Amino acid sequence: MHYSKPNKSSCSSSGGGCASASTGRHSVYKGLRRRSNGKWVSEIREPRKPNRIWLGTFPTAEMAAIAFDVAALALKGRDAELNFPNSVASFTVPASTSPRDIQAAAASAAAALGAANDALRSNNNSTVVATEKHSIVDDFVDEDLIFDMPNVLCNMAEGMLLSPPRLAAAATSQPPADNYGDADNLWKFP
């Protein structure tokens, strides 16, 4: 039996997520719930067994959901209902279906997502700082430094000192009948 999922865009992506007030379960992601301290825990039931595999405690709902997806793929295969079905190719694959291997792979995938989120946050912060610095320094642009002006001027002067190339006309060649032969030599001086 399949249930329709609520719209994920109605939840905040800052890690707070959408949790049902009565159960602490996330209203969008499967296999996780929120603790009273604000962290998210994830676990999965082994197929045809009463046992659950504890996947860990995570700071964001997305990290816990990724951990659940890795475990669900390992235990249920392609039939698993996933939180992020478009990200299957980037998931860590457990070495076996043992609970320890599944826990290790789930923790690795969640840590990778956490590191990626941290990197994105630090890039956004550095972009803001760079933008602020750029607006302060925007008054002066050193064009000599950008265009390497001293060297550009020297190269132009050297180019002016070169003699024009000579076109060697073969002694046996006849001038064209239409008298446009002199127009072909651009370097012919009067």
Side-chain angles (χ1 to χ4, degrees):
M1 177 158 48
H2 295 282
Y3 298 102
S4 64
K5 291 183 181 181
N7 186 2
K8 288 184 182 181
S9 64
S10 65
C11 301
S12 76
S13 61
S14 62
C18 297
S20 170
S22 61
T23 63
R25 289 196 173 141
H26 200 280
S27 62
V28 175
Y29 299 127
K30 294 176 55 72
L32 54 136
R33 65 181 186 276
R34 189 174 188 168
R35 288 209 168 149
S36 59
N37 64 1
K39 294 190 178 182
W40 293 89
V41 296
S42 182
E43 60 186 357
I44 189 168
R45 186 181 301 273
E46 292 183 73
R48 297 175 298 281
K49 293 183 183 177
N51 303 340
R52 291 181 182 264
I53 298 175
W54 179 256
L55 301 175
T57 303
F58 305 96
T60 66
E62 289 79 14
M63 290 173 70
I66 287 284
F68 176 83
D69 284 358
V70 168
L73 275 175
L75 293 172
K76 299 174 184 174
R78 300 181 116 181
D79 296 333
E81 287 187 42
L82 302 176
N83 296 309
F84 301 105
N86 295 334
S87 301
V88 171
S90 65
F91 289 162
T92 307
V93 178
S96 70
T97 57
S98 74
R100 287 185 189 245
D101 288 341
I102 290 173
Q103 288 170 336
S108 174
L113 177 69
N117 287 341
D118 289 344
L120 286 174
R121 273 188 234 116
S122 70
N123 281 343
N124 288 341
N125 291 341
S126 65
T127 303
V128 169
V129 171
T131 304
E132 291 171 0
K133 285 181 181 177
H134 181 67
S135 64
I136 294 170
V137 183
D138 202 20
D139 297 336
F140 177 72
V141 176
D142 190 3
E143 292 175 353
D144 289 343
L145 182 64
I146 293 172
F147 297 113
D148 194 22
M149 272 307 185
N151 290 333
V152 167
L153 294 175
C154 289
N155 291 340
M156 287 173 54
E158 287 175 11
M160 297 291 288
L161 295 174
L162 295 175
S163 61
R166 302 280 182 217
L167 293 177
T172 60
S173 67
Q174 297 292 327
D178 51 359
N179 291 332
Y180 292 112
D182 292 336
D184 291 337
N185 190 351
L186 295 176
W187 295 105
K188 185 172 184 181
F189 296 103

